[in-house]
Amino acid sequence: MMNAQANSSAFQVGASDNVATLLGEVAPGAEVTVVGPAGKRAIAAREMIALGHKIALAPMNKGEAITKFGVVIGIATRRIEPGEWVHLHNCRSQLDERSGSFDVQTGAPPVAKPG
């Protein structure tokens, strides 16, 4: 079980990034202070998010690029609201078609069925 905090912080690497990386676990409704190229701003977490995971900084529509480090790291598979956890349940890789079926908790790819 996570030790969720009432408040936490996150780091936005690039000015064009629409996600930031959490520097501590955060509980639903907690205020997250985002530090990045534009200074500091606050965003409310919409759900439990673990240390090191991504939080959405802006709304993203299905099919929209998810940007971190100034580069596209994935594609939204559904609408994502600011403050949501951005992970395998709502994004996919452009490089690996299997990514939409990876295990949300472990990141493990699906087991190949004998054919």
Side-chain angles (χ1 to χ4, degrees), residues 27-71:
E31 181 177 287
V32 177
T33 302
V34 179
V35 179
K40 289 183 181 181
R41 69 178 180 142
I43 190 167
R46 290 180 175 257
E47 57 197 304
M48 185 75 73
I49 308 173
L51 162 74
H53 283 247
K54 294 174 294 299
I55 187 170
L57 300 177
M60 291 172 255
N61 290 315
K62 181 177 180 178
E64 189 173 334
I66 298 167
T67 306
K68 183 177 176 183
F69 312 113
V71 298

Side-chain angles (χ1 to χ4, degrees), residues 8-19:
S8 189
S9 57
F11 187 70
Q12 178 185 12
V13 179
S16 64
D17 294 355
N18 54 11
V19 296

Side-chain angles (χ1 to χ4, degrees), residues 15 94 110:
Q94 296 181 102

Side-chain angles (χ1 to χ4, degrees), residues 1-27:
M1 178 161 195
M2 295 191 298
N3 293 323
Q5 301 171 10
N7 296 299
S8 189
S9 57
F11 187 70
Q12 178 185 12
V13 179
S16 64
D17 294 355
N18 54 11
V19 296
T21 302
L22 279 224
L23 301 175
E25 287 120 1
V26 67

